[in-house]
Amino acid sequence: MSWLWFIIIGAVAGWLAGNIMRGGGFGLLVNIIVGVIGAVIGGWVFGLLGISTGGLIGSLITALVGAILLLWIISLFKRA
């Protein structure tokens, strides 16, 4: 069941990050990929900052912050 939640949170975080950074989502599969990679990045950044989150909302916020960072970094390379 934890894998299912991981995928659902990744999809929602990827979709939200796409809407915030680009104005639209990327499609279900890419949203999941962006959200899951964002969750890893967000967990790493939050760990460096000493921020601890828990529960469903905390996981979603962590994945969202990481996904936004991921899309921002990608946009820096696309412009160059």
Side-chain angles (χ1 to χ4, degrees):
M1 189 68 172
S2 65
W3 284 100
L4 181 63
W5 280 113
F6 196 66
I7 291 171
I8 291 170
I9 289 171
V12 172
W15 177 77
L16 285 173
N19 283 330
I20 291 170
M21 294 297 292
R22 208 181 75 129
F26 300 103
L28 182 62
L29 183 62
V30 178
N31 283 343
I32 291 172
I33 292 169
V34 167
V36 168
I37 294 171
V40 172
I41 293 171
W44 179 70
V45 169
F46 278 19
L48 287 176
L49 297 174
I51 300 171
S52 177
T53 61
L56 182 64
I57 301 299
S59 298
L60 183 60
I61 291 170
T62 303
L64 178 61
V65 168
I68 290 171
L69 284 172
L70 174 66
L71 294 178
W72 177 69
I73 291 168
I74 289 172
S75 72
L76 291 176
F77 286 109
K78 282 182 101 175
R79 291 184 187 162

